[in-house]
Amino acid sequence: MDEEMGGFTHDDLIIPPVKYEYLDHTADVQLHAWGDSLKEAFEQCGMAMFGYMTDLAYVQIKEVHTIEANADDMMGLLYHFLDELLYLFSVEPFLICKKLVITEFNTEEFRIVCKCYGEEFQIGKHPQGSEVKAITYSAMQIVDEPKDNRFEVFVIIDI
Amino acid sequence: MVVRNYNEELKYLEKINPYCWRIKKGFQPNMNVEGVFYVNNTLEKLMLDELRNSCRPGMTGGFLPGVKQIANVAALPGIVGRSVGLPDVHSGYGFAIGNMAAFDVSDPKSIVSPGGVGFDINCGVRLLRTNLHEKDVLPIKEQLAQSLFDHIPVGVGSKGIIPMNARDMEEALEMGMDWSLREGYVWAEDKEHCEEYGRMLNADPSKVSLRSKKRGLPQLGTLGAGNHYAEIQVVDEIYDKYAASKMGLERTGQVVVMIHSGSRGFGHQVATDALVQMEKAMKRDQIAVNDRQLACARINSVEGQDYLKAMAAAANFAWVNRSSMTFLTRQAFAKQFKMAPDDLDMHVIYDVSHNIAKIEEHVVDGKVKTLLVHRKGSTRAFPPHHPLIPVDYQLTGQPVLIGGSMGTCSYVLTGTHQGMTETFGSTCHGAGRALSRAKSRRNLDYKDVLTKLESMGISIRVASPKLVMEEAPESYKNVTDVVNTCHAAGISKKTVKLRPIAVIKG
Amino acid sequence: MFKLKLTALGHPNPESFNCEDEKEYRSVVLWLEDQKIRHYKIEDREGLRNIDADSWKEAYDLYQKDLVSPVSDGSPNEQLNWLLSYAVRLEFADNVTKYKDAKIEQPKQAAPNVVSSNPLDNLNFSSPAFVNGVERVCALTGVGPHSDPKLRLSAVAKILKTSPHPDYPRTEVSVVQQPADVLKLLFIQDLRDLQTKINEALVAVQSVTADPRTDTSLGRVGR
């Protein structure tokens, strides 16, 4: 994982609009994210997960890390993408992300490379939200309909 | 999947007594055994409502209703007896939460399923007693709650304060509570009053991914978030004086501490890793299941054995975790009362696991069989004289610790012979969710919940404000209904009721 | 072989006696009759005295029959052993006053004499109460008759250990319940003692290994 401290461009610090919501589920929570492309829907879904762990308004962009996810199919790719993000938060650098930019979105070989902007999670500075135990495949949906310009993902996270 | 309307579905369900329903074969395809669930009138309504909702056209919810999940588990290869739903059952990942199922180890087709254990491996409850009375605590209740909050790391992103490196971690995974004992974090008597004596001997840290270990290391000795908590409680009512006195609970008003926590990110990752492995094993061994979430592997396959060994390591992690918090709790009390923990008689009454799979011997159709018993949101409740329960509880039956939801009562039950024959010695684990988290947040107000808790005389320290709504008692099934059902059905026996006076949460 | 008994009887060379040697065997038999047993009149010992004759064997068989030896059909060694024992008994009967105060020399005891505190070890297995009790338990468990009550009891134990048996309901007055309860209580007491010893051992080890520490700089608690 590379790490670039400081030296952010103006573009890096632009915060994307919120295109996600949290849907009802008995014991867990369902993330629903959308965008103008499937790539954007994936990015939004990742941010939705971080938004459930803390209030993103308190998070500053101080560092950037790069993650990589590989899988055998689209659902697997979404799963592993989120799992990598969760891992980034759970261990060193304990990164809570405000912004995600997918730099490689390969739907042929099912590979994602993503730049994660944020800072180390700090109790006291960042409000504590819910803890995400795991990503699940249950009721996972990926809507990819370029004709209607519909790009949506649904993921249930175990909390 | 079969599409039937609600009334057609009901034909497969039969109420066999006021507290027990039978799920007949055919309710879901390929059921090897029947299902059964325990409910009283109130819980029955919740259970059937869930089923009715799922029968509405156009329902594409994440999880199947609990009854359907119990029936799907009954269709798994190698299951014996019945697939059992406990009164606090609600739908979960694959298996319902509050579901127990046993598989015949001698049958080569029998399976082990991580979904039957849950993501939070060896999530459980520990109860510490004290010789303090409520009136000793009331004047300094706020300080005590704060002191506990100052000692125990809670909430998302918290890190443990017990120094540990990667080598310590390996040892802890292998040794479980014996590690805590060796390092001096707990007392010898603590181990005695712990399921499995706080250590699963088949744990093998080499079967655990580096990813799990990395996730686990900073979180060891942390309470976690969600429904996990540490509570200061007082004895509210004693139903069984003899059993209570065996536990050192002599009078109402006596102060105890309940710790509800699990294996943290470590266990979550072990479960996640296993699910990926098992998808492959299922394809190879052509294991057919009704629901993709019931990922499983044959007990005797490499994947099955690896999972059991990794799961055991996660179970050990959880025991070390609860032991570390026991240590911190004793320190917090010792500082507040300026007395040594042993002078405060802060003994562990018992420590139960309610998300675990264990090899046990049971009598099936008059024969002793070795079974792999999955308990997900279900607590072991062995009867008096069972060889696996501590000597102090040989005459009373195993203590079963049932944690309530925030601000409600908790209970101590004991295991019964009837439970041993009907449910493989298993009972409920807690309240069980009734409202979704999002619904709780919409319907409940943060301030209202806090005011209500305050009016009940409960001090609260919580890391995440939104958790207060999500975890409000209104979001859960009534734990008293759940416990009363278990008692009336005879699968465990009420011993003591506990009432919270201070809550520390994630 | 037979050194002890021969020595006790005062045989001239007990050390070198070889019972496999037909001739030596025969002379020992004769020696026993002549010196110790003296069952026949001297003149009637002729058959035994002819130790080289083929007819000796017949005389020996007759001799044993006359003595009512229970092992007259046994091997030569068994036969001789009985004769020796018989001779010892006669010797003792002749000199009761001389031998009755004789003490067996105690071998040096390495271990102190253990007096069992387990009441089961001190049971009188031949008492009628024990026999009757076993009879009753056998009737319940379906164990067939046998002259040795201890054998029957071990059969009962085997059944109880291997086949599942539901606990009898409290209300049902059962002959099994009471003794079972007593056994369970005794077992629990033993187990408690064991557990206490285990705990003491753990504490002893802890005094060497324990060093619990916390470091709040690692995490952050409270606020």
Side-chain angles (χ1 to χ4, degrees), chain C residues 45-94:
Chain C
R45 297 178 194 159
E46 218 40 45
L48 292 174
R49 203 171 301 282
N50 289 329
I51 54 175
D52 294 328
D54 291 339
S55 61
W56 188 87
K57 202 124 185 102
E58 278 167 42
Y60 184 45
D61 284 345
L62 183 69
Y63 178 60
Q64 290 186 74
K65 225 170 249 164
D66 290 339
L67 288 177
V68 206
S69 162
V71 292
S72 55
D73 295 331
S75 71
N77 280 346
E78 283 168 351
Q79 293 170 349
L80 181 61
N81 185 43
W82 185 84
L83 275 185
L84 284 164
S85 305
Y86 182 60
V88 170
R89 274 201 302 278
L90 291 175
E91 186 79 0
F92 178 77
D94 288 348

Short mmCIF file of all heavy atoms in Angstrom, two decimals, chain C residues 45-94:
data_model
loop_
_atom_site.label_atom_id
_atom_site.label_comp_id
_atom_site.label_asym_id
_atom_site.label_seq_id
_atom_site.Cartn_x
_atom_site.Cartn_y
_atom_site.Cartn_z
N ARG C 45 4.05 -99.67 53.64
CA ARG C 45 4.68 -98.66 52.76
C ARG C 45 5.52 -99.31 51.68
O ARG C 45 6.22 -98.62 50.93
CB ARG C 45 5.56 -97.71 53.59
CG ARG C 45 4.73 -96.90 54.60
CD ARG C 45 5.61 -96.00 55.46
NE ARG C 45 4.83 -95.52 56.61
CZ ARG C 45 5.35 -95.07 57.73
NH1 ARG C 45 6.67 -95.04 57.88
NH2 ARG C 45 4.58 -94.66 58.70
N GLU C 46 5.48 -100.62 51.58
CA GLU C 46 6.35 -101.35 50.67
C GLU C 46 6.21 -100.84 49.23
O GLU C 46 7.20 -100.59 48.55
CB GLU C 46 6.00 -102.85 50.73
CG GLU C 46 7.20 -103.80 50.63
CD GLU C 46 8.43 -103.33 51.39
OE1 GLU C 46 8.34 -102.88 52.58
OE2 GLU C 46 9.50 -103.36 50.78
N GLY C 47 4.96 -100.70 48.79
CA GLY C 47 4.72 -100.26 47.39
C GLY C 47 5.42 -98.95 47.09
O GLY C 47 5.98 -98.74 46.02
N LEU C 48 5.40 -98.01 48.04
CA LEU C 48 6.03 -96.71 47.82
C LEU C 48 7.55 -96.79 47.93
O LEU C 48 8.27 -96.00 47.33
CB LEU C 48 5.50 -95.70 48.85
CG LEU C 48 4.03 -95.29 48.69
CD1 LEU C 48 3.61 -94.41 49.86
CD2 LEU C 48 3.81 -94.57 47.37
N ARG C 49 7.97 -97.82 48.73
CA ARG C 49 9.42 -97.92 48.96
C ARG C 49 10.15 -98.38 47.70
O ARG C 49 11.30 -98.03 47.49
CB ARG C 49 9.69 -98.87 50.14
CG ARG C 49 11.04 -98.62 50.80
CD ARG C 49 11.18 -99.41 52.09
NE ARG C 49 10.14 -99.08 53.10
CZ ARG C 49 10.18 -97.99 53.85
NH1 ARG C 49 11.14 -97.10 53.71
NH2 ARG C 49 9.24 -97.79 54.74
N ASN C 50 9.47 -99.16 46.85
CA ASN C 50 10.11 -99.66 45.64
C ASN C 50 10.16 -98.57 44.58
O ASN C 50 9.46 -98.61 43.58
CB ASN C 50 9.35 -100.87 45.08
CG ASN C 50 9.54 -102.08 45.96
OD1 ASN C 50 10.58 -102.25 46.60
ND2 ASN C 50 8.50 -102.91 46.00
N ILE C 51 10.99 -97.60 44.81
CA ILE C 51 10.96 -96.45 43.89
C ILE C 51 11.50 -96.77 42.51
O ILE C 51 11.31 -96.00 41.57
CB ILE C 51 11.68 -95.21 44.47
CG1 ILE C 51 13.09 -95.57 44.89
CG2 ILE C 51 10.90 -94.59 45.60
CD1 ILE C 51 13.89 -94.38 45.35
N ASP C 52 12.15 -97.88 42.35
CA ASP C 52 12.63 -98.25 41.01
C ASP C 52 11.64 -99.14 40.27
O ASP C 52 11.77 -99.35 39.07
CB ASP C 52 13.98 -98.99 41.12
CG ASP C 52 15.04 -98.03 41.66
OD1 ASP C 52 14.93 -96.82 41.35
OD2 ASP C 52 15.93 -98.48 42.40
N ALA C 53 10.63 -99.66 40.98
CA ALA C 53 9.71 -100.60 40.34
C ALA C 53 8.65 -99.90 39.50
O ALA C 53 8.30 -98.75 39.76
CB ALA C 53 9.03 -101.46 41.41
N ASP C 54 8.16 -100.62 38.48
CA ASP C 54 7.10 -100.06 37.64
C ASP C 54 5.80 -99.95 38.43
O ASP C 54 4.92 -99.14 38.10
CB ASP C 54 6.85 -100.94 36.42
CG ASP C 54 8.04 -100.88 35.45
OD1 ASP C 54 8.81 -99.89 35.56
OD2 ASP C 54 8.19 -101.79 34.63
N SER C 55 5.68 -100.77 39.46
CA SER C 55 4.43 -100.80 40.22
C SER C 55 4.31 -99.59 41.14
O SER C 55 3.29 -99.39 41.78
CB SER C 55 4.33 -102.09 41.01
OG SER C 55 5.43 -102.14 41.93
N TRP C 56 5.40 -98.78 41.24
CA TRP C 56 5.37 -97.61 42.15
C TRP C 56 4.19 -96.70 41.83
O TRP C 56 3.49 -96.20 42.71
CB TRP C 56 6.69 -96.83 42.03
CG TRP C 56 6.79 -95.75 43.10
CD1 TRP C 56 7.27 -95.90 44.37
CD2 TRP C 56 6.34 -94.40 42.97
NE1 TRP C 56 7.17 -94.74 45.06
CE2 TRP C 56 6.61 -93.77 44.23
CE3 TRP C 56 5.76 -93.65 41.95
CZ2 TRP C 56 6.31 -92.44 44.47
CZ3 TRP C 56 5.48 -92.32 42.22
CH2 TRP C 56 5.73 -91.71 43.45
N LYS C 57 3.98 -96.47 40.55
CA LYS C 57 2.93 -95.57 40.11
C LYS C 57 1.55 -95.98 40.67
O LYS C 57 0.81 -95.13 41.18
CB LYS C 57 2.87 -95.56 38.58
CG LYS C 57 2.24 -94.32 38.04
CD LYS C 57 3.10 -93.53 37.05
CE LYS C 57 2.33 -92.29 36.73
NZ LYS C 57 2.73 -91.10 37.35
N GLU C 58 1.27 -97.32 40.57
CA GLU C 58 0.00 -97.81 41.11
C GLU C 58 -0.10 -97.54 42.59
O GLU C 58 -1.13 -97.07 43.09
CB GLU C 58 -0.13 -99.32 40.87
CG GLU C 58 -0.60 -99.69 39.47
CD GLU C 58 -0.40 -101.19 39.21
OE1 GLU C 58 -0.70 -101.99 40.13
OE2 GLU C 58 0.09 -101.51 38.10
N ALA C 59 1.01 -97.82 43.28
CA ALA C 59 1.04 -97.64 44.73
C ALA C 59 0.78 -96.16 45.07
O ALA C 59 0.04 -95.82 46.01
CB ALA C 59 2.38 -98.09 45.29
N TYR C 60 1.40 -95.27 44.29
CA TYR C 60 1.26 -93.81 44.51
C TYR C 60 -0.20 -93.39 44.31
O TYR C 60 -0.76 -92.63 45.11
CB TYR C 60 2.18 -93.07 43.54
CG TYR C 60 2.21 -91.56 43.72
CD1 TYR C 60 2.31 -90.99 45.00
CD2 TYR C 60 2.16 -90.72 42.63
CE1 TYR C 60 2.35 -89.62 45.16
CE2 TYR C 60 2.20 -89.34 42.77
CZ TYR C 60 2.29 -88.80 44.04
OH TYR C 60 2.33 -87.44 44.20
N ASP C 61 -0.82 -93.90 43.21
CA ASP C 61 -2.23 -93.56 42.96
C ASP C 61 -3.11 -94.01 44.13
O ASP C 61 -3.98 -93.25 44.60
CB ASP C 61 -2.71 -94.24 41.68
CG ASP C 61 -2.18 -93.53 40.44
OD1 ASP C 61 -1.69 -92.38 40.60
OD2 ASP C 61 -2.22 -94.09 39.33
N LEU C 62 -2.86 -95.22 44.59
CA LEU C 62 -3.64 -95.76 45.71
C LEU C 62 -3.44 -94.90 46.95
O LEU C 62 -4.40 -94.57 47.66
CB LEU C 62 -3.22 -97.20 45.97
CG LEU C 62 -4.02 -97.92 47.08
CD1 LEU C 62 -5.46 -98.17 46.63
CD2 LEU C 62 -3.33 -99.23 47.48
N TYR C 63 -2.18 -94.51 47.16
CA TYR C 63 -1.80 -93.69 48.32
C TYR C 63 -2.60 -92.38 48.32
O TYR C 63 -3.19 -91.97 49.33
CB TYR C 63 -0.30 -93.42 48.27
CG TYR C 63 0.24 -92.55 49.37
CD1 TYR C 63 0.12 -92.92 50.72
CD2 TYR C 63 0.92 -91.36 49.07
CE1 TYR C 63 0.65 -92.12 51.73
CE2 TYR C 63 1.45 -90.56 50.07
CZ TYR C 63 1.31 -90.95 51.39
OH TYR C 63 1.83 -90.14 52.37
N GLN C 64 -2.61 -91.77 47.15
CA GLN C 64 -3.35 -90.50 47.05
C GLN C 64 -4.83 -90.71 47.31
O GLN C 64 -5.48 -89.88 47.96
CB GLN C 64 -3.16 -89.88 45.65
CG GLN C 64 -1.75 -89.36 45.42
CD GLN C 64 -1.65 -88.63 44.09
OE1 GLN C 64 -2.13 -87.54 43.95
NE2 GLN C 64 -1.04 -89.30 43.13
N LYS C 65 -5.38 -91.79 46.76
CA LYS C 65 -6.79 -92.08 46.98
C LYS C 65 -7.06 -92.24 48.47
O LYS C 65 -8.06 -91.74 49.01
CB LYS C 65 -7.19 -93.34 46.21
CG LYS C 65 -8.51 -93.17 45.47
CD LYS C 65 -8.79 -94.31 44.53
CE LYS C 65 -8.70 -93.87 43.07
NZ LYS C 65 -8.59 -95.01 42.17
N ASP C 66 -6.14 -92.96 49.13
CA ASP C 66 -6.30 -93.19 50.56
C ASP C 66 -6.25 -91.89 51.36
O ASP C 66 -6.90 -91.75 52.40
CB ASP C 66 -5.24 -94.17 51.07
CG ASP C 66 -5.48 -95.59 50.53
OD1 ASP C 66 -6.65 -95.85 50.13
OD2 ASP C 66 -4.53 -96.38 50.49
N LEU C 67 -5.45 -90.97 50.86
CA LEU C 67 -5.35 -89.66 51.55
C LEU C 67 -6.50 -88.72 51.16
O LEU C 67 -6.61 -87.61 51.68
CB LEU C 67 -4.03 -88.97 51.19
CG LEU C 67 -2.75 -89.57 51.80
CD1 LEU C 67 -1.54 -88.82 51.27
CD2 LEU C 67 -2.78 -89.50 53.31
N VAL C 68 -7.33 -89.18 50.21
CA VAL C 68 -8.42 -88.36 49.65
C VAL C 68 -7.87 -87.04 49.09
O VAL C 68 -8.37 -85.94 49.38
CB VAL C 68 -9.55 -88.09 50.67
CG1 VAL C 68 -10.86 -87.84 49.92
CG2 VAL C 68 -9.73 -89.23 51.63
N SER C 69 -6.81 -87.15 48.30
CA SER C 69 -6.26 -85.94 47.67
C SER C 69 -7.22 -85.44 46.60
O SER C 69 -7.68 -86.22 45.77
CB SER C 69 -4.91 -86.25 47.04
OG SER C 69 -4.59 -85.23 46.11
N PRO C 70 -7.52 -84.16 46.62
CA PRO C 70 -8.45 -83.61 45.61
C PRO C 70 -7.79 -83.49 44.23
O PRO C 70 -8.48 -83.28 43.25
CB PRO C 70 -8.79 -82.22 46.16
CG PRO C 70 -7.63 -81.85 47.04
CD PRO C 70 -7.05 -83.12 47.57
N VAL C 71 -6.48 -83.62 44.18
CA VAL C 71 -5.80 -83.42 42.89
C VAL C 71 -5.18 -84.71 42.38
O VAL C 71 -4.22 -84.69 41.62
CB VAL C 71 -4.72 -82.32 42.98
CG1 VAL C 71 -5.37 -80.97 43.19
CG2 VAL C 71 -3.71 -82.63 44.07
N SER C 72 -5.74 -85.85 42.75
CA SER C 72 -5.15 -87.11 42.33
C SER C 72 -5.18 -87.28 40.81
O SER C 72 -4.44 -88.08 40.26
CB SER C 72 -5.85 -88.30 43.01
OG SER C 72 -7.23 -88.22 42.75
N ASP C 73 -6.06 -86.51 40.14
CA ASP C 73 -6.07 -86.55 38.66
C ASP C 73 -5.20 -85.46 38.04
O ASP C 73 -5.11 -85.35 36.83
CB ASP C 73 -7.51 -86.38 38.14
CG ASP C 73 -8.38 -87.56 38.58
OD1 ASP C 73 -7.81 -88.65 38.75
OD2 ASP C 73 -9.60 -87.36 38.75
N GLY C 74 -4.58 -84.67 38.85
CA GLY C 74 -3.81 -83.52 38.34
C GLY C 74 -2.42 -83.93 37.88
O GLY C 74 -2.09 -85.11 37.80
N SER C 75 -1.61 -82.90 37.57
CA SER C 75 -0.26 -83.16 37.11
C SER C 75 0.58 -83.60 38.32
O SER C 75 0.21 -83.35 39.46
CB SER C 75 0.32 -81.88 36.51
OG SER C 75 0.56 -80.96 37.55
N PRO C 76 1.70 -84.26 38.06
CA PRO C 76 2.57 -84.70 39.17
C PRO C 76 2.93 -83.56 40.12
O PRO C 76 2.95 -83.76 41.33
CB PRO C 76 3.81 -85.23 38.45
CG PRO C 76 3.32 -85.61 37.08
CD PRO C 76 2.20 -84.68 36.75
N ASN C 77 3.19 -82.37 39.56
CA ASN C 77 3.57 -81.25 40.42
C ASN C 77 2.43 -80.82 41.34
O ASN C 77 2.64 -80.50 42.49
CB ASN C 77 4.02 -80.05 39.58
CG ASN C 77 5.46 -80.23 39.10
OD1 ASN C 77 6.18 -81.11 39.60
ND2 ASN C 77 5.86 -79.42 38.13
N GLU C 78 1.24 -80.80 40.76
CA GLU C 78 0.08 -80.45 41.59
C GLU C 78 -0.10 -81.48 42.71
O GLU C 78 -0.39 -81.12 43.85
CB GLU C 78 -1.19 -80.40 40.73
CG GLU C 78 -1.32 -79.13 39.89
CD GLU C 78 -2.43 -79.24 38.84
OE1 GLU C 78 -2.97 -80.34 38.63
OE2 GLU C 78 -2.71 -78.21 38.22
N GLN C 79 0.09 -82.73 42.32
CA GLN C 79 -0.08 -83.80 43.31
C GLN C 79 0.91 -83.64 44.45
O GLN C 79 0.56 -83.70 45.64
CB GLN C 79 0.10 -85.16 42.64
CG GLN C 79 -1.01 -85.46 41.65
CD GLN C 79 -0.71 -86.69 40.81
OE1 GLN C 79 0.41 -87.22 40.81
NE2 GLN C 79 -1.72 -87.17 40.08
N LEU C 80 2.16 -83.37 44.07
CA LEU C 80 3.21 -83.24 45.09
C LEU C 80 2.96 -82.02 45.96
O LEU C 80 3.13 -82.06 47.18
CB LEU C 80 4.59 -83.16 44.42
CG LEU C 80 5.77 -83.05 45.40
CD1 LEU C 80 5.81 -84.28 46.30
CD2 LEU C 80 7.08 -82.91 44.65
N ASN C 81 2.54 -80.95 45.32
CA ASN C 81 2.27 -79.72 46.05
C ASN C 81 1.23 -79.96 47.14
O ASN C 81 1.36 -79.51 48.27
CB ASN C 81 1.79 -78.64 45.09
CG ASN C 81 1.62 -77.29 45.81
OD1 ASN C 81 2.47 -76.92 46.61
ND2 ASN C 81 0.53 -76.61 45.52
N TRP C 82 0.18 -80.74 46.77
CA TRP C 82 -0.86 -80.99 47.77
C TRP C 82 -0.31 -81.82 48.92
O TRP C 82 -0.56 -81.55 50.07
CB TRP C 82 -2.06 -81.70 47.12
CG TRP C 82 -3.16 -81.86 48.12
CD1 TRP C 82 -4.10 -80.94 48.45
CD2 TRP C 82 -3.40 -83.01 48.95
NE1 TRP C 82 -4.91 -81.41 49.44
CE2 TRP C 82 -4.50 -82.70 49.76
CE3 TRP C 82 -2.76 -84.27 49.08
CZ2 TRP C 82 -5.01 -83.60 50.70
CZ3 TRP C 82 -3.28 -85.16 50.01
CH2 TRP C 82 -4.40 -84.83 50.82
N LEU C 83 0.49 -82.81 48.53
CA LEU C 83 1.08 -83.67 49.56
C LEU C 83 1.91 -82.85 50.54
O LEU C 83 1.82 -83.02 51.76
CB LEU C 83 1.99 -84.71 48.91
CG LEU C 83 1.35 -86.01 48.39
CD1 LEU C 83 2.45 -86.94 47.90
CD2 LEU C 83 0.54 -86.68 49.49
N LEU C 84 2.71 -81.93 49.98
CA LEU C 84 3.57 -81.09 50.82
C LEU C 84 2.71 -80.24 51.76
O LEU C 84 2.99 -80.14 52.95
CB LEU C 84 4.44 -80.19 49.94
CG LEU C 84 5.63 -80.89 49.26
CD1 LEU C 84 6.16 -80.04 48.12
CD2 LEU C 84 6.73 -81.19 50.28
N SER C 85 1.66 -79.64 51.18
CA SER C 85 0.80 -78.78 51.99
C SER C 85 0.14 -79.59 53.10
O SER C 85 0.01 -79.15 54.24
CB SER C 85 -0.30 -78.15 51.14
OG SER C 85 0.29 -77.48 50.07
N TYR C 86 -0.27 -80.80 52.72
CA TYR C 86 -0.92 -81.68 53.69
C TYR C 86 0.04 -81.98 54.83
O TYR C 86 -0.31 -81.91 56.02
CB TYR C 86 -1.35 -82.96 52.98
CG TYR C 86 -2.08 -83.95 53.85
CD1 TYR C 86 -3.29 -83.58 54.48
CD2 TYR C 86 -1.59 -85.24 54.06
CE1 TYR C 86 -3.97 -84.50 55.28
CE2 TYR C 86 -2.27 -86.16 54.85
CZ TYR C 86 -3.46 -85.78 55.47
OH TYR C 86 -4.12 -86.68 56.26
N ALA C 87 1.28 -82.24 54.45
CA ALA C 87 2.30 -82.54 55.46
C ALA C 87 2.50 -81.34 56.37
O ALA C 87 2.63 -81.48 57.59
CB ALA C 87 3.60 -82.91 54.77
N VAL C 88 2.53 -80.14 55.77
CA VAL C 88 2.72 -78.93 56.57
C VAL C 88 1.57 -78.79 57.57
O VAL C 88 1.76 -78.46 58.74
CB VAL C 88 2.81 -77.68 55.68
CG1 VAL C 88 2.75 -76.40 56.49
CG2 VAL C 88 4.09 -77.72 54.84
N ARG C 89 0.34 -79.06 57.07
CA ARG C 89 -0.83 -78.93 57.96
C ARG C 89 -0.71 -79.90 59.14
O ARG C 89 -0.99 -79.55 60.28
CB ARG C 89 -2.11 -79.21 57.17
CG ARG C 89 -2.64 -77.98 56.46
CD ARG C 89 -4.13 -78.12 56.12
NE ARG C 89 -4.44 -79.27 55.29
CZ ARG C 89 -4.30 -79.28 53.95
NH1 ARG C 89 -3.82 -78.22 53.32
NH2 ARG C 89 -4.62 -80.35 53.28
N LEU C 90 -0.26 -81.13 58.83
CA LEU C 90 -0.12 -82.12 59.91
C LEU C 90 0.93 -81.67 60.92
O LEU C 90 0.72 -81.75 62.13
CB LEU C 90 0.28 -83.48 59.32
CG LEU C 90 -0.79 -84.17 58.49
CD1 LEU C 90 -0.22 -85.44 57.85
CD2 LEU C 90 -2.02 -84.51 59.33
N GLU C 91 2.02 -81.18 60.38
CA GLU C 91 3.12 -80.71 61.22
C GLU C 91 2.61 -79.62 62.17
O GLU C 91 2.91 -79.62 63.36
CB GLU C 91 4.24 -80.15 60.34
CG GLU C 91 5.49 -79.78 61.10
CD GLU C 91 6.32 -81.02 61.44
OE1 GLU C 91 5.91 -82.16 61.08
OE2 GLU C 91 7.37 -80.84 62.05
N PHE C 92 1.83 -78.70 61.59
CA PHE C 92 1.30 -77.59 62.38
C PHE C 92 0.35 -78.13 63.46
O PHE C 92 0.43 -77.78 64.63
CB PHE C 92 0.57 -76.60 61.47
CG PHE C 92 -0.06 -75.45 62.21
CD1 PHE C 92 0.74 -74.40 62.66
CD2 PHE C 92 -1.42 -75.43 62.49
CE1 PHE C 92 0.17 -73.35 63.36
CE2 PHE C 92 -1.98 -74.37 63.19
CZ PHE C 92 -1.18 -73.33 63.62
N ALA C 93 -0.52 -79.10 63.07
CA ALA C 93 -1.51 -79.63 64.00
C ALA C 93 -0.80 -80.34 65.17
O ALA C 93 -1.27 -80.27 66.31
CB ALA C 93 -2.43 -80.60 63.27
N ASP C 94 0.33 -80.93 64.87
CA ASP C 94 1.06 -81.62 65.94
C ASP C 94 1.69 -80.65 66.92
O ASP C 94 1.93 -80.99 68.07
CB ASP C 94 2.18 -82.49 65.33
CG ASP C 94 1.60 -83.72 64.62
OD1 ASP C 94 0.39 -83.98 64.83
OD2 ASP C 94 2.34 -84.37 63.86
#
